[in-house]
Amino acid sequence: MRIAIFGAHNVGKTTLAEELLEHLPGYTFETEPYYQMELYGYEFSEIPDAEDFVEQFNYSAKLILQSGDNVIFDRGVIDLLAYLHVLDPRRNIQSLFEKAQAIIAEIDLFVFVPIEEPDLIPIHQIELPKLRSQVNNLLYDWISDFGIEVIRVNGTLSERRDQVLNGILSTTDT
C-alpha cells in the first residue's frame, strides 16, 4: 500500500509518518521532496518561491511513480501544487493539476493532516502563518476537486495514528 500524508507546514505530517513506520513493519518512508532535493544539492530560495514548488512537484511525481509497495510519503503532489497555486495564483496550473490526477491514481491511501481548531502549534512558532492557513484552506477545497477519499486525522499523535491504522484496515478489508 502506498500512503500519502499531506497538509500545510507545521501540522505534524512527519511526526505522524514516523509514528506509522513503527506500527507498519516492512514499510519505507519517503521524506519530503524538499529535504531529499536539498540533500542532493538543490538550492532553494530563501523565501518560498513558486519555481521551487514546481521542482518539488516534479520530484514528488517521480518518487511516487518509481516507488514500490508499502511506502509512506511525507507530502505529495497535492499539497505541493497547493503551495504553488497560493504563491502564484495567476499561473496556469491546469497541466500540473491533470498530471497530479494521474499521479494520485498510484496512491492507495490519502491522509490529510489539517490545521486543528484550536491550532496545536503556538502562532509564534509558525513560519509564514498566512501561507500555512491559505494552503490548508485550499487543500480542503481540492479534496473534492480531485475526487479522492481521504482520512482526515485530528487529535493526539496516538489518535491520529489509530485513525490511519483503522483506515488501512478498512481499505484492505474491501
Side-chain angles (χ1 to χ4, degrees):
M1 176 174 282
R2 294 178 184 161
I3 302 169
I5 300 176
F6 69 99
H9 56 283
N10 297 116
V11 292
K13 295 177 305 300
T14 304
T15 303
L16 176 59
E18 290 169 345
E19 177 73 10
L20 288 170
L21 273 178
E22 292 182 25
H23 293 84
L24 295 171
Y27 274 73
T28 59
F29 177 52
E30 288 289 351
T31 59
E32 271 192 55
Y34 178 92
Y35 296 119
Q36 292 189 41
M37 292 170 65
E38 189 176 55
L39 186 66
Y40 292 120
Y42 185 90
E43 292 190 30
F44 288 95
S45 306
E46 278 292 317
I47 298 171
D49 174 274
E51 293 309 314
D52 288 339
F53 283 99
V54 170
E55 294 299 321
Q56 289 179 75
F57 176 92
N58 289 327
Y59 190 90
S60 177
K62 185 175 118 185
L63 279 176
I64 292 167
L65 291 174
Q66 293 178 350
S67 71
D69 291 331
N70 299 336
V71 180
I72 300 171
F73 296 95
D74 185 358
R75 282 218 183 280
V77 293
I78 296 172
D79 45 357
L80 294 168
L81 190 58
Y83 274 98
L84 171 62
H85 186 61
V86 168
L87 289 171
D88 189 1
R90 293 185 176 175
R91 178 188 292 249
N92 182 346
I93 61 167
Q94 185 61 39
S95 65
L96 292 176
F97 195 88
E98 290 168 5
K99 184 176 181 180
Q101 288 180 306
I103 300 297
I104 63 176
E106 302 295 321
I107 302 295
D108 302 300
L109 182 67
F110 291 92
V111 178
F112 177 38
V113 184
I115 298 172
E116 291 198 34
E117 293 292 330
D119 199 333
L120 302 177
I121 309 295
I123 190 75
H124 67 276
Q125 292 181 0
I126 300 170
E127 285 187 55
L128 306 168
K130 183 178 177 185
L131 176 63
R132 179 178 180 252
S133 178
Q134 290 172 318
V135 167
N136 185 74
N137 294 339
L138 184 58
L139 288 171
Y140 269 110
D141 293 342
W142 278 5
I143 288 170
S144 62
D145 291 350
F146 277 108
I148 56 175
E149 287 191 37
V150 172
I151 296 173
R152 182 177 158 253
V153 297
N154 58 39
T156 66
L157 179 58
S158 61
E159 289 169 335
R160 290 175 175 195
R161 176 202 63 220
D162 291 346
Q163 291 162 26
V164 175
L165 293 176
N166 288 334
I168 292 170
L169 286 175
S170 67
T171 300
T172 56
D173 287 343
T174 56

